[in-house]
Every structure is written in C-alpha cells, then in structure tokens.
C-alpha cells in the first residue's frame, strides 16, 4: 500500500487543526460552582478519576468529565441533567470546538448593535467579544456585581454598606496548548468599611485598608501550558489544596491570591504536583532617623518576602480510594532558593542541607470511593514530631487532623448533598520557633485552616439544587479556641499555643494541653439562596448569625448579618 507525502500532510493538518480547535488549556477558577457539581457526581459514583485535591483544573480536564457525564446521563436526576446541560452550554467550545449559539456583542451576527445588546437578556452564552481561528481562541467577559449588606449586634452596632464592582476577564488558548487568563476588577463602596472587613475574601484586598480611598481592586492572571500528561502554569489566581469540604489543610482561601509556579504530571493512577509560591510576611514599621537631622523620626512600613514550596504525590485506586502525600516548606529572609525550585527533591532533606532555617510540614490524606453516595476523607498534618513522646502532651508534638464525610441524597431526598467535617489543630501548630516570618501564614492570615492552633471545629453543610438555575445552601460551624492570656496593657501573660505568631518560649511549660487558656466558643449559621433568572445573571440573598462566648471573661456577643447581591458575566 503506497501512501503519498501529500496524503500524510493532509492527515497531519487535520489532526493539528482538530487539536487547535478543541484544545482549551486555560484553567477553570477554583471558586467556579462546577466543582461542587463534579464533586457530587464523583461521590455518587457516576464519574471516575476526578482529582480535586488541588484546584483549579484545566478546562480540558473539566470538559472530559462533562463528556463522561453526558454518556451516563441516564443515571442522573432531572435536576442534575438540567444542570449538566447548562454546563455543557458553557463549555460548548471545549467540548465540540464550536461557538454556535454564543453571543458576541462586538462583531455580533445580529442586524444592529442595539439588537446585540438586547440579546444580553437572553439565555444564550454571552461574551463581549469572541475570536476563534486555527491558532487563537479568545473570550472576553464583562463582570458586574451590585451588593448591599447590613449588620446588627455588639460588634458594629447597626450599620450597612453597599458596593458596585465592575471589571472584565479575558481567557483563551494559543496553538491549542498555551492557555491564558486575565482578570481585573474594581469596586466603589459606601458605608461601613469595618463591615466589609468581616467578609473573608474582601478583607484580603489591600486598597480596602487605605483609609482615604473608598474602593478595593483585584487583579489575577496566568499562562498555562497543557501537554496532556504534563502541564505547567505560572501566574496568580486562587489555589485550593486539600480534601476538606470547608477548611483546606494545605492551602485555603484565607489568604490573598498569590503568584506561583505549578507543574503537574498525571498518568493513569499517578498524579504529581510541584508548586512554588510567593507569600508575604507580617506588616511591620521600621523607625529610623537621618544622621544629618536626628530631630525627626521616620516611619517606613515593611513587609518581608517569604515563599511556599510544596510537592504532592497521589495514587488513585479506581472505585476504592485516593491516597495523597505532600510536603510543604515555608522560607524567608532571602531571595528565591533554587533548592526549592527542584521538583525532584525531598524538601525536608533540602532544608537541612540549607542549614535547617525553614519550616517544613508533611501531610497525608485519603478519600474513599468504594460506596456509591458516600465519601469519607481524612487528613493529618505533621508540623513537628518526637516519636518517643508521641502520646505525651509535649508542645513539640505538633500536628493537626481532619476527617469528614459527604452523602448524596440523604434520607432519600434527591438533589441534596450533606457534608460533615471535623478539624482539630493542636497548640503551636503552624508556628515557627526559629524565625518570626516562617509561620504558615501570608500577611496575618493562615495558609491552612482558619481556626488556627489550639482549636477545633465541627462543620455541617446542606446543599439543595432542585433545578439548574436555583440552589439553596445552609451551613453551621461550631468552633472552640484556647486563646493566650494577655493583661490590660496587651502583654502576654500565659502562652498556651493559641496564636500562630507566638512561638513557644523557653520559659513556657513543657506540656501544652489542648484548649488550655481562655476558652472561646463560637457558632456561625449561614443560609444562602441563589437564582439565575437570566443565563449568567444571578440574584442571591444570604443571612448569617454569629455568636461568640468567652468562658474566661463571661462576655457573650451575637451579630446578625445579611445581604443581597446581583452579579453578572456579560
């Protein structure tokens, strides 16, 4: 059989152009609601090989899971099928390489610009601009959020705040392999700045703390090469790392999104992740005088650079369990260390070879898949261990653990998901006794679970999605925290390991008992309803009730917050 060069070239061209048309290499943001849907499908046993211990995933990975779900749609409820169809419309280009049905306001196929704007009120997939050819795919969205919230209680009294946030997102893929994303938003607010600080995400924005400004902004962006088995990403976006349902044990949403370099290798049952990120130390003020004029004291704000390195190896056993091992290191007081840029080195050994200046932690986790409709997971983090005295309450036996379960359709209620999680962090965990900057934090926030050391929590969440555009969620969290004791002047009186920024001192007791110190009990209840009344336009309302009781002082506080907001991606 003779095959001409021309025929081979034609076959090669078809393969390449098909790859270019269907391959989308950018990521799906870690906060996208599709991950909750995929998690439910994973727990139900409808899909396999869903690896969500490190988010975000690439759009190609998500599209492959949607394709698998479509082939098994007979195993879904009507509400799940409607939600699947909605996500398939959103990922049409990733699935089929077509933009048919998409609305592009700029360069629209509508007879006039006004007609194109009217289509923003339709249920089509909407973009400000879409460009697709054999080499480039680009999608541009405008983002708008209108928010109003109010609080009543002991914390701030009765006050309110409102903001309007606007911006845009550009994403796409070059040559079928190189994905890119760019996000920029800015918000103008009115009312109470302190109320916005109670929002766990908004409080991370730097400009919110600038007292002569009434706005807060955010910018993220990254570039990612997707080679199938191997992918590499550099940039800034939210990263969630851990198998927990609420609090992630390795990397959570407590800290400001940071810049990182990430590489993944996924082949059959093995997944390896390399990660190196840039964090920030604590805010400090340097006081100095000029030798030529010592009558004036200058105040210079300083924030140290610090870095986060991590490796993860995961083994998946289909229909049984996933087992993950990771090592993490925090280092500071120097520029990027090439020892931590090596993806094939043991971090514990590397930091010893670098004079053991850094903070290294290990973590193990497991997720089960052997029962359809029920997932069990557990994580243990080792900060420091002395095996001969492991069962003694020594302060240097520092570890944290978490276990939880997720149940789909509890008590035979279809389209409902129940998650229960317990987290316990022993005293002095995530602190560092040899460096003031090598705590497991960025700025003043924990990189891991928000409850901090010498604390535990129970978390229960119920989600109900009766249709693709309607969802309800409720969660309750109980927290116990043993705080350090301070006098009226703010001086530390008793150190029980309840503050990640306060390491153990030579004068402190050898034993650190769990929940010692000023015991504070808190409870948070939140209810959320979301309705997508037009495709890509959501109206949401929420109510949250927080209570806190200091059993040492007897002080009890209650605060009630609530709000409504509309967000749109146009």
């Amino acid at each position: 059989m003779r095959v001409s060069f021309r025929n081979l070239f034609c076959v090669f061209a078809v393969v390449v152009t098909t790859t270019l048309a269907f391959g989308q290499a950018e990521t799906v943001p870690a906060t996208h609601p599709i991950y909750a849907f995929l998690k439910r499908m994973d727990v139900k046993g409808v899909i396999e090989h869903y690896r969500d211990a490190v988010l975000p995933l690439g759009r190609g990975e998500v599209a492959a899971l949607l394709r698998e779900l479509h082939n098994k749609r007979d195993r879904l409820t009507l509400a799940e099928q409607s939600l699947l169809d909605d996500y398939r419309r959103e990922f049409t280009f990733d699935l089929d390489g077509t933009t048919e049905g998409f609305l592009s306001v700029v360069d629209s196929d509508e007879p006039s610009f006004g007609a194109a704007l009217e289509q923003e009120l339709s249920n089509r997939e909407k973009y400000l601009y879409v460009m697709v050819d054999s080499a480039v795919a680009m999608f541009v969205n405008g983002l708008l959020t209108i928010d109003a919230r109010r609080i009543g209680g002991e914390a701030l009294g009765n006050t309110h705040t409102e903001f309007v946030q606007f911006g845009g997102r550009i994403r796409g893929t070059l040559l079928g392999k190189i994905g890119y994303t760019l996000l920029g938003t800015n918000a103008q607010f009115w009312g109470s700045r302190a109320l916005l600080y109670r929002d766990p995400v908004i409080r991370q924005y730097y400009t919110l703390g600038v007292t002569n400004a009434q706005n807060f902004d955010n910018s993220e962006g990254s570039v990612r090469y997707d080679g199938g088995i191997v992918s590499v990403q550099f940039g800034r976006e939210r990263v969630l790392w851990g198998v927990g349902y609420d609090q992630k044990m390795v990397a959570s949403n407590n800290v400001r999104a940071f810049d990182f370099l990430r590489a993944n290798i996924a082949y059959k049952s093995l997944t390896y992740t390399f990660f190196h990120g840039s964090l920030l130390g604590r805010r400090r003020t340097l006081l100095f005088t000029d030798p030529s004029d010592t009558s004036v004291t200058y105040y210079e704000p300083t924030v140290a650079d610090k870095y986060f390195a991590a490796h993860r190896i995961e083994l998946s056993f289909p229909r049984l369990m996933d087992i993950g091992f990771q090592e993490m290191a925090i280092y500071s007081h120097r520029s990027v260390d090439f020892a931590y840029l090596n993806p094939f080195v043991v971090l514990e050994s590397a930091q010893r070879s670098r004079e053991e200046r850094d903070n290294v932690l290990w973590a193990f986790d497991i997720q089960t898949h052997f029962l359809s409709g029920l997932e069990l997971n557990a994580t243990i983090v080792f900060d420091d261990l002395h095996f001969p005295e492991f069962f003694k309450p020594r302060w240097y036996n520092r570890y944290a653990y978490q276990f939880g379960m997720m149940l789909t359709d509890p008590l035979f209620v279809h389209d409902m998901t129940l998650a229960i999680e317990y987290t316990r962090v022993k005293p002095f965990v995530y602190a560092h006794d040899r460096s003031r900057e090598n705590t497991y934090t960025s700025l003043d926030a924990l990189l891991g679970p928000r409850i901090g050391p010498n604390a535990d929590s129970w978390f229960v969440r119920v989600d109900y999605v009766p249709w693709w555009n309607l969802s309800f969620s409720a969660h309750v969290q109980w927290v116990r925290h043993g705080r350090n004791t301070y006098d009226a002047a703010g001086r530390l009186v008793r150190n029980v390991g309840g503050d990640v920024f306060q390491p153990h001192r030579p004068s402190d007791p050898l034993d650190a008992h769990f929940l010692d110190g000023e015991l504070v009990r808190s409870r948070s209840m939140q209810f959320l309803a979301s309705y997508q009344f037009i495709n890509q336009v959501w109206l949401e309302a929420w109510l949250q009730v927080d209570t806190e009781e200091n059993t040492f002082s007897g002080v009890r506080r209650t605060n009630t917050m609530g709000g409504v907001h509309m967000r749109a991606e146009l």
Side-chain angles (χ1 to χ4, degrees):
M1 181 178 179
R2 298 178 60 186
V3 179
S4 68
F5 174 80
R6 179 179 178 181
N7 290 338
L8 285 175
F9 178 80
C10 291
V11 172
F12 174 77
V14 170
V15 171
V16 170
T17 54
T18 300
T19 302
L20 296 178
F22 289 83
Q24 285 295 97
E26 67 269 28
T27 58
V28 180
T31 55
H32 197 293
I34 196 171
Y35 292 117
F37 175 66
L38 293 175
K39 167 59 78 174
R40 175 176 167 83
M41 296 296 98
D42 178 47
V43 175
K44 287 187 68 173
V46 183
I47 56 176
E48 297 180 7
H49 304 298
Y50 175 53
R51 300 181 176 96
D52 67 335
V54 183
L55 298 177
L57 301 178
R59 290 185 71 90
E61 298 171 81
V62 172
L65 294 168
L66 292 176
R67 194 175 290 112
E68 180 183 353
L69 282 171
H70 182 66
N71 294 333
K72 300 176 181 179
R73 62 181 298 119
D74 58 318
R75 298 173 58 180
L76 309 184
T77 67
L78 290 177
E80 291 168 345
Q81 290 180 10
S82 71
L83 193 54
L84 172 62
D85 292 338
D86 179 56
Y87 287 131
R88 281 181 56 83
R89 287 191 295 269
E90 180 179 346
F91 286 80
T92 293
F93 184 75
D94 308 88
L95 291 165
D96 304 320
T98 179
T99 59
E100 183 177 354
F102 285 11
L103 170 66
S104 174
V105 175
V106 178
D107 196 24
S108 171
D109 56 2
E110 296 296 323
S112 66
F113 182 74
L117 287 178
E118 290 179 3
Q119 288 296 307
E120 290 284 7
L121 301 178
S122 70
N123 281 326
R124 298 170 63 181
E125 286 299 314
K126 296 181 280 288
Y127 299 91
L128 292 181
Y129 180 63
V130 173
M131 182 184 69
V132 174
D133 59 27
S134 60
V136 178
M138 183 171 68
F139 302 86
V140 181
N141 278 108
L143 306 176
L144 174 66
T145 298
I146 303 174
D147 186 288
R149 57 187 67 187
R150 177 174 288 275
I151 186 173
E154 288 84 356
L156 301 175
N158 294 307
T159 187
H160 63 90
T161 188
E162 299 81 30
F163 69 84
V164 176
Q165 185 179 56
F166 55 89
R169 179 177 58 236
I170 303 173
R171 65 170 181 86
T173 296
L174 305 174
L175 303 175
K177 296 294 184 182
I178 303 174
Y180 59 91
T181 59
L182 175 62
L183 170 72
T185 61
N186 197 356
Q188 179 73 33
F189 71 89
W190 302 265
S192 172
R193 187 187 305 268
L195 178 53
L196 288 176
Y197 261 111
R198 299 181 71 88
D199 188 291
V201 175
I202 296 178
R203 68 185 301 171
Q204 300 169 13
Y205 300 145
Y206 169 79
T207 44
L208 184 63
V210 180
T211 55
N212 60 351
Q214 290 290 114
N215 71 295
F216 53 89
D217 63 333
N218 181 46
S219 179
E220 299 177 14
S222 69
V223 59
R224 178 175 182 266
Y225 169 78
D226 188 350
I229 295 177
V230 178
S231 64
V232 180
Q233 182 183 6
F234 174 72
R236 175 189 301 179
E237 69 173 315
R238 177 71 64 192
V239 175
L240 300 178
W241 190 319
V243 298
Y245 306 124
D246 175 50
Q247 302 191 73
K248 303 298 185 180
M249 298 297 282
V250 177
S252 65
N253 63 351
N254 303 329
V255 301
R256 183 184 301 168
F258 53 88
D259 301 282
F260 61 85
L261 174 65
R262 173 185 172 187
N264 277 76
I265 301 175
Y267 184 69
K268 294 185 177 180
S269 296
L270 176 67
T271 304
Y272 172 74
T273 301
F274 160 82
F275 193 92
H276 190 281
S278 177
L279 306 178
L280 292 171
R282 300 197 74 184
R283 296 185 181 97
R284 303 178 188 275
T285 301
L286 177 65
L287 278 64
F288 67 94
T289 58
D290 192 317
S292 63
D293 182 8
T294 58
S295 65
V296 179
T297 301
Y298 297 93
Y299 299 84
E300 179 182 345
T302 63
V303 178
D305 290 323
K306 59 190 292 188
Y307 303 95
F308 169 59
H311 301 159
R312 175 182 172 85
I313 297 177
E314 179 179 318
L315 288 173
S316 298
F317 302 92
R319 302 184 184 279
L320 186 60
M321 67 182 69
D322 300 332
I323 299 175
F325 162 74
Q326 45 257 304
E327 51 178 352
M328 304 86 75
I330 300 287
Y331 69 97
S332 60
H333 298 303
R334 60 191 187 272
S335 59
V336 173
D337 194 322
F338 280 83
Y340 294 114
L341 288 177
N342 186 346
F344 303 111
V345 70
V346 178
L347 295 181
E348 178 74 33
S349 180
Q351 74 98 17
R352 285 201 180 102
S353 72
R354 306 293 288 167
E355 294 299 307
E356 203 166 2
R357 296 169 288 173
D358 310 321
N359 189 7
V360 176
L361 304 90
W362 291 20
F364 300 85
D365 59 59
I366 184 172
Q367 290 187 98
T368 67
H369 303 291
F370 54 82
L371 290 175
S372 296
L374 174 65
E375 176 187 89
L376 305 175
N377 74 57
T379 303
I380 185 165
V381 177
F382 295 109
D383 190 346
D384 197 7
L385 283 180
H386 289 248
F387 285 104
E389 299 179 294
F390 182 76
F391 294 103
K392 296 181 180 180
R394 302 295 193 237
W395 74 268
Y396 42 72
N397 282 325
R398 297 180 291 182
Y399 59 89
Y401 60 85
Q402 180 184 83
F403 56 83
M405 59 168 284
M406 178 172 283
L407 184 65
T408 58
D409 302 335
L411 301 177
F412 306 103
V413 179
H414 293 301
D415 307 311
M416 181 176 286
T417 304
L418 169 67
I420 302 174
E421 178 178 280
Y422 176 74
T423 305
R424 179 166 176 156
V425 184
K426 291 197 66 179
F428 296 104
V429 178
Y430 299 120
H432 195 246
D433 54 312
R434 291 191 299 275
S435 169
R436 67 181 184 271
E437 296 295 356
N438 283 354
T439 56
Y440 199 73
T441 62
S442 184
L443 287 176
D444 293 323
L446 264 166
L447 190 60
R450 75 180 74 89
I451 60 174
N454 201 25
D456 69 348
S457 71
W458 280 98
F459 174 80
V460 179
R461 188 184 74 226
V462 177
D463 298 320
Y464 179 54
V465 185
W467 203 241
W468 70 272
N469 61 344
L470 181 64
S471 66
F472 303 93
S473 181
H475 77 243
V476 182
Q477 183 176 42
W478 297 268
V479 178
R480 297 184 301 172
H481 181 206
R483 294 180 181 174
N484 294 343
T485 303
Y486 297 85
D487 62 17
R491 293 185 294 264
L492 181 63
V493 175
R494 188 163 177 242
N495 183 19
V496 297
D499 184 352
V500 70
F501 296 107
Q502 177 58 61
H504 186 273
R505 303 169 300 179
S507 60
D508 292 329
L510 183 64
D511 289 347
H513 297 281
F514 183 63
L515 294 183
D516 200 1
E518 295 186 11
L519 180 61
V520 177
R521 291 189 174 97
S522 59
R523 181 186 65 192
S524 176
M525 298 184 295
Q526 186 180 87
F527 307 91
L528 172 68
S530 178
Y531 177 55
Q532 189 176 178
F533 61 96
I534 299 173
N535 189 40
Q536 297 169 236
V537 182
W538 296 264
L539 181 63
E540 298 176 333
W542 59 277
L543 176 68
Q544 180 171 322
V545 180
D546 298 327
T547 61
E548 180 181 284
E549 179 184 8
N550 188 320
T551 60
F552 181 81
S553 63
V555 175
R556 178 184 174 89
R557 294 185 175 90
T558 300
N559 296 284
T560 301
M561 294 186 295
V564 294
H565 68 268
M566 185 192 75
R567 58 188 177 92
E569 299 182 6
L570 305 174

